Amino acid sequence: MAALAARSVVSLRRSVNRPVAFVRKIPWTAASSEMREHFAQFGHIRRCFLPFDKETGFHKGFGWVQFSTEEELQNALQQENHFIDGVKVNLPKVFHGDQTSDGEKDF
Amino acid sequence: MAALLRPARWLLRAGVAPRLPLSLRLFAGGPGRPHGVPGLPAARAGPVAGGLLNPARLYAIAAERKNDIQEELTSLRRTASQFDWALMRLDNSVRRTGRIPKRLLQKVFDNTCRSGTPGGNQALLLLRSCGSLLPELTLTERTEFAHRIWDKLQELGTVYDVSHYNALLKVYLQNEYKFSPTDFLAKMEETNIQPNRVTYQRLIAAYCNVGDIEGASKILGFMKTKDLPVTEAVFSALITGHARAGDMENAENILTVMKDAGIEPGPDTYLALLNAYAEKGDIDHVKQTLEKVGKSDLYLMDRDLLQLIFSFSKAGYPQYASEILEKITYERRYIPDAMNLILLLVTEKLEDTAFQILLACPISREDGLSDFGSFFLQHCVTMNTPVEKLTDYCRKLKEAQMHSSPLQFTLHCALLHNKADLAKALMKAMKEEGIPVRTHYFWPLLVEHQKKKNVQGIIEVLKGMHELGVEADQETYINYVFPSFESVKSVRTVLQENGCLPESSMFAQAELRSEAVNGNLEYILSFLKSNTLPFSFNSFRGSLILGFRRSMNIDLWSKITELLYKDGHYCQEPPGPTEAVGYFLYNLIDSMSDSEVQAKEERLRQYFHQLKEMNVKIPENIYRGIRNLLDSYHVPELIKDIYLLIDREKIDSRKTVQFTSSNLESTLERLKAENQPVGDVLKQLILMLCSEENMQKALELKAKYESDMVVGGYAALINLCCRHDNAEEALNLKQEFDRLDSSAVLNTGKYVGLVKVLGKHGKLQDAINILKEMKEKDVLIKDATVLSFFHILNGAALRGEIETVKQLHEAIVTLGLAKPSTNLSSPLVTVHLEKDDIPAALEATIDCFRKYKILPRIHDVLCKLIEKGETDLIQKAMDFVSQEQGEMMMLYDLFFAFLQTGNYKEAKKIIETPGIRARPARLKWFCDRCITNNQVETLEKLVELTQKLFECDRDHMYYNLLKIYKINGDWKRADAVWNKMQEENVIPREKTLRLLAEILRNSNQEVPFDVPELWYEDENDSQNSSLSTSPVENDLQKDVLKACQWKNNTDAYDIFLKAQEQNVVFKSKTYDTLIRLLLSKECLAEAMHVKDFAETHIKGFTLNDAANSLLIITQVRRDYLKEALTTLKTALDLKQIPSRVAVTRLIQAFALKGATEGIEEIQKMVNGLEDSIGLSNMVFINNIALAQIKNNNIDVAIENIENMLTSENQTVDPQYFGLAYLFRKVIEEQLEPAVEKISIMAERLANQFAVYKPVTDLFLQYVEAGKVDDARALLQRCGAIAEQIPIFMVFFVRNSRKPGKASTLQSLLGLIPELVEKEEAYTSLMKSYALDKDVTSAKALYEHLTEKNVKLNDLCLKRYALLLKNAGEPVPFPEPPETFEFYVKQLKESKENSL
């Protein structure tokens, strides 16, 4: 089962290019459906993953949401505060290596 | 000048006390009154907050003790830092939450024990924590804890003194522990420790607490015979004593007795009396007494009143709590004290009173974000408070808007403590309140039963779920129910028997999934065939993929796929089977790793072909997705096989043509001649010319083909003209560009270039228009852009163009392109300063403040004003500054200006203003300024004038002075500093002493003190002492030493040979130095020769620690391992402590040879010395394993490591179990089988034992070795690696110390991108870039972070600024003014405080 969890994470984050948001400080009351419900306002959720600790039965407080497009991801990232079950969760802005932003292309 | 000072004086006289924080600071020492210190009176020693550790006091102890420690050996350093750590943790906890959680104290205790022999201060710290600071423990538990600590530390060799006994007594008092004071005294005497006044006072309190006046009198008698003063504390204790003996009359009388004895009753006395009344429930007397105290000049603190509440409640009069609560003033420190009391009341089962106090807490409830009261609920759960009460509390907390989700929180606590009944009751309450009860709330309960394989328990939980209307989902079954049963089938039976088999398809889906995970495809096929339930493909696609991957039976793969495709039952939903199955195939391949696809290539091919035969089709767009996947997996060979499945045909391939530079122009002409479109080629050519900086040609070309020009060509041309300072042409081009496409946007840099060139050539309006356009078109403004703005403005300022500066600045700021920072606005002032128009400069500065709340260049303006003697203007400036920024700021501004301009007398008057105190940041700013500009005299004056400055860190001031002397090589003045410091009684820090010694040594002067060595430095420093031998010897000896100092080994050796010829024998120290030099230069033979000579000519000559260590290192390098081992043995026999490097090198050398015995021998030899050498056990573990691997005993090595990490009694904490060295070596040495097995081991440890350190280390080693793919694969297999943040942070910090590591750090970030937002990570990366002088990457990082709104710390900014400055680039923000050390310290402090 642990492998299953690991795989899911892996497939979510294997490619840097995928529009995946990492979510932290998720309250214990929320499960992946609550996460999905919250992030659905920003776009179509392809995958939503919130690993649970099989030793305790609680999740670990962080998870991943994969959107269909980068734009949707940006929508989510741009919103300043995210609340799930009334608790502010944290969306660290993901660092994309050394890519330059689109606005920078010279012409 | 004196007139100048008047306003300052006046201000200070009139409003000092309230306006300057000074008066507060003078009484500083923490929130408590002085009575918080040793003789804490008995009454206040009760179990309430009265006994809270006073943080200031803690630090005072720390400081005292630390001073003692510094005298001792360096090995104690670790103990000292351990102490600091423990102190900080405990102190923070008390300050924030009014208590120390038991777990924390236990942790600190364990760590202290592990550190070897805990020092006296550590023991004191631990013991003091065992009283009222543990409100969550019962009184007995606390005392037991204290005793455990006492015994354990004694066992470990801690020596107790009277302070420890007194601390223990205090704990006894706080915990109301019953003991015999006489026995206690006897015990002290046995160990020859003399009781002191504090001891007696506390013993009296102990007697009084049980109402034993006789006993107390006996001790009092002792005190009298010893002539010890009877203090207020004793009287207060006696009040308690009489009261508890039932004699209130005598208790009250004590007040009179005190007065007769000449001691005025203080707050403590009254508190004792108040408590005495409270214990009797005598509210009237309590009120009277409070009134009396209120009228006197005495003052009772909130914590005193809280104690009163406790006394009432504990004595059975909780009804009076509210009356006392009303009197509470809610001081700033109230909350932690209240928390302490609330927890204590819950422990005492007085939770209703506790709740009453909780509700009365002054908490801001507006934001609704911060919950208050969790600590109370949590403790109630621990103390088994009845659920009815708990739900009632929750309801009230919610009503009071103190806590947004109290029920959920309480449920969380109940689940954590595995209180199933409470949890169920709470969930029921939640349901009634309309709060959703979710499936996963039951998982912790199931986990508990699962651990015990308690089937009945699991059934109970499932029933409970059912009752609450919560349906178990797939995950519940698969993860938490099935594992406790032998088979999935048996679950079905048992559930059926118990009537909790759900009617929906959920269970069937769970079964399906569970079988799929086990790769049981046959089951799946038969299930799908026979299934009649409505079942969507989506719901089990994931499971199916897993099943496919677990089974290699391609026939079953195909059959299942065909069934899904054709049955219709499963792919009913709109897109239809083609889409669904196509998507499934995509997901299947997507879920596999590249290596997996590669390995299964043949099977996949078979599968695709079978599908083809079954006539299964997929849409083309999905095919493309799969093609891309296969491409990225490096198995393009499979593409043609999947291609067979496409529904339609035809994919067109694009072709690209590339022009070479040489023929562009001719191509252009040819195309033109042929009347073909030339736009693209023209643009390419122009870009090329621009890059060649050929403006002339480019412009001609443009003129020639004007009608064919495109936007891109113009953009490049505009930029080119700006670069060539051709404002006219640039503007023309810009206009043409706009005509071509008015909506086109240039990039930021080009706009800035335009503004610059237009501004410079007086086309102010055009420049402003460009700025406006930037705003309108929403051009991206980066920090670099802001910096460019500054340079444009500053350039204009230096040219003296007032209007240009003003208008451009105005435009930039009002358009909102940049914030009016001090830096950006300073040109507004500079322009006047450049023209020497000081009044205008001042006006500009003040204007800036009015508009933007900043004061650019105030220091420079003030200096100029003073130079010119503009008294009125100075007055004006000062009035302004003090009004806006406070007197203190004004005084400092003025002080620095006077200093800077050499008006020392005036400066002195300023700094002697009563009430002024040290502002370290400002002082440091000025010190650094002096050092940078090498203003020796100014700095000397600063140091001199601040001598009496309140709270001024004198050592640091002198340190700065030494820094400037070092730059100037002025040892004489440095030496004078040394004397001045003694005069002033300043205790120099180690770094100051080291700096001074360095200056003296550099000038060949004797160092008149013992230089503290850095523990991590190699002891390579050659120390030479003056010699008194014959002239010839002396000369030769001097020459040798000099050569040694210059590290000239050939010369030194030659002189030695010459001396040898003349039979001159040097002092042994000289040989030592020479040998060390030779060794460090790898001249082993020569070194040995010198050694032999010395040994034969000087009796008892032995190499010292450092030389022996070097010898070992050299021998190892030469591969003389046996000899090196002998050297080590010799050194150890001489009771020397060899260096860690030497021992480690030797061990490593043995390991690489596979010589396990060698390592084990060393292990035996250094046994007991590990700590002094600084050798970690891990060195042996790593190297023994490496040796075993070298001997092809991979399995043994791995088994050993696994045993160490999984056994019950671990010698090394898993989080410190660093195997990085081993991993690096096996990777470096390309020991592939070992790498593989190690990887498996690491993953196993992670997955099965939750030990993540090894797998993370391995991962990092892959990254370091540049094997990013391996690292990625590992990360994919073990996602938990990404969570090992602390390990990564250490990795970052470590790697940033070495140059050339930036790429390693970058690739790590590439793998785990979210790390970059960690402060340690980006600071380290920045440091790394700075080390590598990689401006481009640093910029990218900076921009990325600012874009993401990460607030960079000052240290990082400083580093970045310096990097930019060194590279001659502008700094896009005000550079943090202080030094690196300052920010390092600041950062450290802020980290400690935030913990």
Side-chain angles (χ1 to χ4, degrees), chain B residues 1070-1187:
Chain B
T1070 312
Y1071 292 119
D1072 216 280
T1073 312
L1074 178 58
I1075 291 170
R1076 270 192 285 159
L1077 174 69
L1078 291 168
L1079 288 173
S1080 69
K1081 297 281 181 181
E1082 300 245 355
C1083 306
L1084 184 57
E1086 288 87 344
M1088 294 318 283
H1089 182 76
V1090 178
K1091 182 170 169 256
D1092 289 344
F1093 182 82
E1095 274 169 354
T1096 46
H1097 288 79
I1098 298 177
K1099 211 176 153 204
F1101 176 87
T1102 46
L1103 290 177
N1104 67 11
D1105 307 44
N1108 265 327
S1109 300
L1110 265 173
L1111 183 56
I1112 294 173
I1113 292 171
T1114 318
Q1115 284 168 330
V1116 169
R1117 209 173 278 150
R1118 293 287 173 87
D1119 211 15
Y1120 298 155
L1121 298 192
K1122 227 184 226 160
E1123 287 80 354
L1125 194 61
T1126 319
T1127 313
L1128 177 63
K1129 197 166 181 317
T1130 320
L1132 289 171
D1133 287 347
L1134 286 167
K1135 299 259 179 286
Q1136 293 181 350
I1137 305 286
S1139 78
R1140 185 171 54 87
V1141 180
V1143 184
T1144 315
R1145 291 268 166 84
L1146 185 55
I1147 295 172
Q1148 289 172 343
F1150 276 127
L1152 287 171
K1153 286 247 168 348
T1156 326
E1157 330 74 55
I1159 304 173
E1160 280 160 356
E1161 204 176 329
I1162 298 174
Q1163 196 167 19
K1164 253 181 257 155
M1165 273 167 29
V1166 301
N1167 186 24
L1169 291 172
E1170 293 94 336
D1171 276 347
S1172 347
I1173 304 177
L1175 215 52
S1176 146
N1177 200 13
M1178 289 317 299
V1179 175
F1180 292 109
I1181 295 173
N1182 271 288
N1183 283 291
I1184 289 177
L1186 183 58

Side-chain angles (χ1 to χ4, degrees), chain B residues 486-633:
Chain B
E486 274 171 29
S487 69
V488 178
K489 229 174 246 162
S490 67
V491 188
R492 186 178 270 275
T493 333
V494 173
L495 289 190
Q496 226 149 18
E497 279 167 9
N498 283 279
C500 39
L501 189 68
E503 284 159 20
S504 69
S505 66
M506 198 57 84
F507 190 80
Q509 286 190 17
E511 271 180 306
L512 181 69
R513 184 162 176 161
S514 169
E515 294 295 345
V517 169
N518 295 325
N520 192 350
L521 289 189
E522 264 143 88
Y523 173 90
I524 291 176
L525 185 60
S526 69
F527 175 89
L528 288 176
K529 272 184 183 158
S530 59
N531 170 50
T532 49
L533 290 164
F535 230 77
S536 90
F537 189 11
N538 277 335
S539 65
F540 63 95
R541 189 173 52 227
S543 318
L544 201 55
I545 287 174
L546 274 174
F548 273 35
R549 290 175 52 204
R550 300 274 156 94
S551 158
M552 273 298 106
N553 191 332
I554 297 302
D555 290 338
L556 283 172
W557 284 32
S558 311
K559 278 183 191 152
I560 292 173
T561 318
E562 184 185 20
L563 180 76
L564 291 170
Y565 190 79
K566 294 178 178 164
D567 191 320
H569 192 92
Y570 299 104
C571 301
Q572 283 166 328
E573 285 147 45
T578 317
E579 283 278 334
V581 168
Y583 192 53
F584 170 73
L585 285 181
Y586 176 86
N587 277 309
L588 174 64
I589 294 167
D590 187 33
S591 71
M592 303 206 245
S593 69
D594 43 3
S595 53
E596 194 179 350
V597 174
Q598 283 158 18
K600 292 179 180 167
E601 184 183 336
E602 207 36 58
R603 290 170 203 271
L604 282 168
R605 181 165 294 126
Q606 252 180 54
Y607 175 51
F608 295 152
H609 282 269
Q610 286 184 12
L611 291 182
K612 165 81 183 155
E613 265 151 47
M614 293 164 168
N615 219 6
V616 172
K617 294 217 184 294
I618 61 170
E620 188 187 337
N621 60 340
I622 291 180
Y623 154 75
R624 272 199 226 111
I626 296 175
R627 183 192 63 190
N628 293 343
L629 277 179
L630 291 173
D631 244 345
S632 70
Y633 291 166

Side-chain angles (χ1 to χ4, degrees), chain A residues 1 4 10 13-14 18 28-29 31 34 52 54-56 58 62 83 85 93-95 104 106-107, chain B residues 408 438 440-441 444 447 451 479 546 590 592 633 715 745 747 1276 1283 1313-1314 1316-1317 1344 1348:
Chain A
M1 269 307 135
L4 172 75
V10 168
R13 46 195 345 236
R14 180 167 53 215
R18 291 191 188 176
W28 79 277
T29 47
E34 282 74 35
F52 271 74
K54 303 285 152 37
E55 286 296 303
T56 65
F58 290 105
F62 56 81
F83 289 91
D85 278 351
K93 315 268 192 273
V94 180
F95 183 66
E104 267 221 89
D106 261 37
F107 64 77
Chain B
Q408 289 95 320
R438 293 174 185 147
H440 68 275
Y441 294 179
V447 163
K451 279 181 188 157
N479 294 332
L546 274 174
D590 187 33
M592 303 206 245
Y633 291 166
V745 187
N747 72 6
Q1276 285 169 0
E1283 294 150 35
E1314 57 270 15
V1316 80
E1317 319 244 325
H1344 172 80
K1348 302 275 167 190

Side-chain angles (χ1 to χ4, degrees), chain B residues 925-958:
Chain B
W925 171 77
F926 196 69
C927 284
D928 290 344
R929 206 181 145 95
C930 290
I931 293 172
T932 323
N933 301 328
N934 204 6
Q935 296 171 309
V936 179
E937 193 190 322
T938 316
L939 187 58
E940 277 173 344
K941 278 290 170 190
L942 173 72
V943 176
E944 187 192 314
L945 294 181
T946 50
Q947 188 179 339
K948 294 252 157 62
L949 181 60
F950 182 59
E951 283 189 327
C952 178
D953 184 340
R954 299 304 294 156
D955 171 61
H956 199 257
M957 298 304 285
Y958 282 115

